[in-house]
Amino acid sequence: MSQSKLPSTLKTYSVLPDNRSPLERALELALSEALYSIDHPYPELLDAQKTRKEAIATLGIDRQVPVWDSTDTEQVKRNRSEQAWRNRQLSGTRAGFVKALEQMGFGADVTPWFKKPSELDPYYFQIWVYASDRVLTQEINARIDQLLIEMKSERDSYVMNLARESIASPRIAVAAEIGITMTSQPFVPAGSEANALTHTGIAQHLRIISTSEPARNERL
């Protein structure tokens, strides 16, 4: 950016004292030029979903996101920065635990003590955490523990189970077999032709038989 594009006031106004040197004035103008060459960051700067990638960590620090991990994906960091204040409002609740863990990429199921009074002591809750796309490690376990300690009520205690979740989608296949047998008395050729798919599932069997005495079609 050329100096001519600077606001006219910056060419005449200076924050330096009257005894400034030409070098100091040149540095001041160079810094001003560099600042004015940067695109205006607002209002996207404070929007976790739109801010620049380089600013996400700073935004997370500003909003005091607990248990920040630099190895998380960009989208996980954006989600956690965006929901930081909401998570604090839901601290100590089942919805708060579930939402916070979802933002970290985990599924969760929380059971409070009054749902299982015969198994859990008062103010205890049991939580199952499911990881479907990552290897279970001590670091993951420690991160979840830190998050639960940060969000639970002071009087609450918990039992946590970390499990690897495997999801399979069922598939239904259809196999069709078609055979044609033709006879002409007294000559009866041997053999028939049949084609079938190798999938297991719902099968449809269709066979057409044609004879010359009497001529008829049968569908089985």
Side-chain angles (χ1 to χ4, degrees), residues 18-161:
D18 294 338
N19 62 345
R20 60 184 177 270
S21 68
L23 176 59
E24 291 173 333
R25 177 58 177 161
L27 291 173
E28 182 183 31
L29 289 173
L31 178 59
S32 299
E33 183 177 346
L35 289 175
Y36 273 86
S37 67
I38 299 174
D39 293 334
H40 201 292
Y42 291 99
E44 289 82 6
L45 180 63
L46 300 181
D47 187 334
Q49 297 298 337
K50 297 180 180 179
T51 192
R52 295 180 179 180
K53 182 178 180 180
E54 297 78 9
I56 301 174
T58 304
L59 192 61
I61 294 173
D62 177 69
R63 297 181 179 179
Q64 300 178 5
V65 176
V67 200
W68 187 268
D69 192 340
S70 59
T71 61
D72 281 335
T73 64
E74 178 182 334
Q75 191 57 51
V76 167
K77 295 176 182 177
R78 290 185 184 276
N79 292 341
R80 299 198 66 208
S81 298
E82 181 182 33
Q83 299 295 328
W85 304 128
R86 182 60 176 164
N87 289 344
R88 284 188 175 80
Q89 292 177 330
L90 295 175
S91 289
T93 67
R94 281 177 287 172
F97 295 133
V98 172
K99 288 181 179 298
L101 287 167
E102 284 179 352
Q103 293 159 20
M104 296 174 65
F106 299 102
D109 183 19
V110 182
T111 304
W113 64 273
F114 53 82
K115 293 289 186 179
K116 292 185 176 181
S118 61
E119 300 179 22
L120 300 174
D121 295 331
Y123 306 114
Y124 248 91
F125 64 89
Q126 184 182 57
I127 181 167
W128 281 88
V129 181
Y130 306 102
S132 59
D133 59 349
R134 65 190 72 184
V135 178
L136 303 182
T137 63
Q138 292 182 352
E139 290 76 13
I140 289 178
N141 192 88
R143 287 181 59 201
I144 296 174
D145 270 328
Q146 292 175 20
L147 179 69
L148 296 178
I149 292 172
E150 178 75 20
M151 293 192 64
K152 74 179 186 66
S153 301
E154 184 66 26
R155 66 184 179 182
D156 285 342
S157 300
Y158 66 89
V159 177
M160 195 231 341
N161 300 291

